[in-house]
Amino acid sequence: MSWTDIAALEDIPVRGARIVKTHAGCIAVFRTDDNEVFATSDRCPHKGGPLSEGIVHGKSVTCPLHNWVFSLETGEAQGADEGQIATYPARVENGRVLMDLSEINKVAA
């Protein structure tokens, strides 16, 4: 994996998200109550809602448009909804948020 430093953990609000703009599209980077970070595509597969503006609860995010819930770990829709969002490796190291951008670079190539 090729880890890239994208931000300080404190730059992402607890139970919130920030956007990383890439040549392959926007990625939402979420922070949980437990200071874990997860990176996913920012678009809900249902109607394209901005997941970075959704509600983070536990290890899930709820789309702000139609309340679809997605696992931040697997990207899978929860409950009766069907669909999946892309997930990308992310971690916290020494207070910095790191992402592996190699999969994103493959998409754009």
Side-chain angles (χ1 to χ4, degrees):
M1 289 191 184
S2 175
W3 295 101
T4 301
D5 186 322
I6 60 165
L9 179 61
E10 64 191 30
D11 291 339
I12 304 171
V14 174
R15 294 181 312 278
R18 289 290 183 255
I19 293 292
V20 175
K21 293 182 180 181
T22 75
H23 50 278
C26 290
I27 297 171
V29 181
F30 298 93
R31 179 179 174 185
T32 67
D33 276 329
D34 297 329
N35 291 323
E36 289 184 274
V37 293
F38 296 92
T40 74
S41 59
D42 189 38
R43 293 182 54 84
C44 176
H46 175 234
K47 297 281 184 175
L51 295 175
S52 58
E53 296 176 20
I55 298 168
V56 177
H57 46 99
K59 294 182 182 181
S60 299
V61 62
T62 299
C63 178
L65 294 185
H66 299 100
N67 295 324
W68 281 36
V69 178
F70 295 92
S71 165
L72 293 172
E73 295 176 298
T74 66
E76 293 182 19
Q78 306 296 292
D81 298 323
E82 293 183 13
Q84 188 163 7
I85 55 175
T87 60
Y88 305 98
R91 69 180 192 204
V92 177
E93 187 175 292
N94 298 320
R96 301 295 301 176
V97 178
L98 308 175
M99 276 185 61
D100 176 17
L101 300 176
S102 59
E103 290 301 313
I104 297 157
N105 291 333
K106 288 179 189 175
V107 170

